[in-house]
Each structure stands twice: as structure tokens, then as C-alpha cells.
Amino acid sequence: MRRPIIAGNWKMNKTVNEAIGLVNLFKRSFYQADSYQIDAIDIVVCPPFTALGEVSEILVNSNIMLGAQDVYWQTKGAYTGEISPLMLKDTGCRFVIIGHSERRKYFGETNLTVNKKLKAALEAGLMPIVCVGECLEEREEGRALDVVRDHIENGLDGITKQQLLNAVIAYEPVWAIGTGKTATPQQAEEVHKFIRTL
């Protein structure tokens, strides 16, 4: 049986103090709750890089895990503004988001860079959350599954079945973000089934 995961991507929001307040609220709500549903799922928060260290300290001995919003594929070097897998591990991260639609749209992320980041994250022992999904134009043109196939086949190129057991593939219906349109459970399940088949 597949284990559900709920990951909150905070994007470019929350100062360090605001992040501390929010994660303390989460911890009180989820860690102290005595519920099967809470125990039966993985809960991950992905604050901005600036808050990773402080949030990590608060999450010690809780059922909430820490993730990052991006990673670079090199372990160190002259890569201004980037963050390495080892740096993320050092802050306590267990997860990292890779290939988010906003990274693809605004920062030129491609299947090739997704693939490099994925391999680096796995090598470092991070659990990558690889985002795949189509934009509104692609969905309206009937190319949703073609786009997802491209993201899967090229973004996961060279990844073994065993490595894939240590990764999460997250379907992101990009066309439903900020458009007023909503992906129905049936639409999401159609893509989920397609991904599992691939």
C-alpha cells in the first residue's frame, strides 16, 4: 500500500521568526494529536532556506519532517546562490522538492537539470519530491499525458527501480494554480495511474 505524504511548500514566504511561529503551531497540532490518520501519513514542511536550521531544531522528536524547496547538483564549489545536497542534510532536511513548475517557468529548470538534481539528492540520501505536470495550454491542447511522460522519462533518466523507491513523484496540475480552475479527483487519478504505469 502506498503511504500518503503531505508536503507544504512555503515558497518565498515567512521570515525566520514567522517560520518559527508557524512550525510551532504545526507541531502542537500534529505531533501532539493522537490520531491514526496523523500516524498513517508523512508530513513534510519546506520553508525557505533561511529558516531551515531553526525549523529543524523545532521539529526534533516530532512526526513532522523537514524538506527544502530546491537543491543544486554539485556538493560544493563556486556556484553563487546555490545550495548543495550536503548543506541540506546538514540542516536536518530529509526531503527536497525538485522540478517544481515555478522553477521550470521562472528559472529555466529543464528535465536535464531535474535529472542532475535528482541523482545528487539520492546520492546524498535525501528523498526527492519530483514535480511533474502540464500547464493550461498543454492541457487544453490534449497534451497533458505527453508532457507528464516527457517529465518522467527524461527527468528520471538513468534512475533505477531501487532508487525510485526512495523518491516521490508529485503530480502538479500547473493549469489549476491561480487560474480559478480546479483539478477534479478523477483528473488527478487519471494522471496518477498514467505515472504508475510508466
Side-chain angles (χ1 to χ4, degrees):
M1 184 174 163
R2 290 181 299 273
R3 183 173 171 85
I5 177 174
I6 298 176
N9 178 5
W10 297 8
K11 305 190 179 186
M12 196 176 70
N13 294 294
K14 304 297 178 194
T15 64
V16 172
N17 284 335
E18 290 170 340
I20 289 169
L22 183 57
V23 84
N24 273 319
L25 176 63
F26 282 168
K27 189 173 176 181
R28 283 194 300 275
S29 300
F30 296 132
Y31 179 55
Q32 296 174 358
D34 188 18
S35 164
Y36 170 77
Q37 288 81 12
I38 298 296
D39 292 336
I41 62 174
D42 287 332
I43 303 169
V44 182
V45 293
C46 301
F49 293 140
T50 54
L52 288 175
E54 285 83 355
V55 169
S56 177
E57 290 179 15
I58 295 168
L59 295 180
V60 169
N61 298 323
S62 81
N63 63 333
I64 305 169
M65 294 172 281
L66 185 65
Q69 298 178 24
D70 192 25
V71 66
Y72 195 58
W73 56 82
Q74 297 290 345
T75 56
K76 61 182 177 179
Y79 305 103
T80 300
E82 295 296 339
I83 192 161
S84 79
L86 298 180
M87 291 173 176
L88 295 180
K89 288 279 288 189
D90 191 50
T91 66
C93 284
R94 293 177 58 188
F95 290 80
V96 61
I97 299 170
I98 297 174
H100 191 280
S101 63
E102 291 161 355
R103 297 295 311 172
R104 292 178 189 264
K105 180 178 179 180
Y106 301 125
F107 302 102
E109 192 99 329
T110 65
N111 289 327
L112 177 61
T113 58
V114 166
N115 187 258
K116 289 180 176 182
K117 291 178 178 187
L118 172 59
K119 289 175 179 174
L122 288 168
E123 178 70 24
L126 291 165
M127 173 83 68
I129 301 172
V130 183
C131 300
V132 301
E134 77 285 2
C135 67
L136 182 60
E137 180 183 353
E138 292 162 339
R139 174 155 280 273
E140 289 178 342
E141 292 174 355
R143 297 189 296 122
L145 298 183
D146 292 335
V147 171
V148 170
R149 177 186 296 276
D150 178 52
H151 288 174
I152 296 286
E153 290 181 348
N154 294 302
L156 275 60
D157 185 48
I159 301 300
T160 67
K161 289 180 183 180
Q162 188 62 38
Q163 287 175 308
L164 201 50
L165 294 174
N166 296 309
V168 175
I169 300 174
Y171 171 54
E172 184 186 13
V174 182
W175 53 273
I177 300 172
T179 63
K181 300 178 185 290
T182 304
T184 66
Q186 294 79 14
Q187 288 171 319
E189 183 53 35
E190 176 193 14
V191 180
H192 291 171
K193 182 178 179 182
F194 179 73
I195 291 168
R196 288 192 295 269
T197 301
L198 279 178

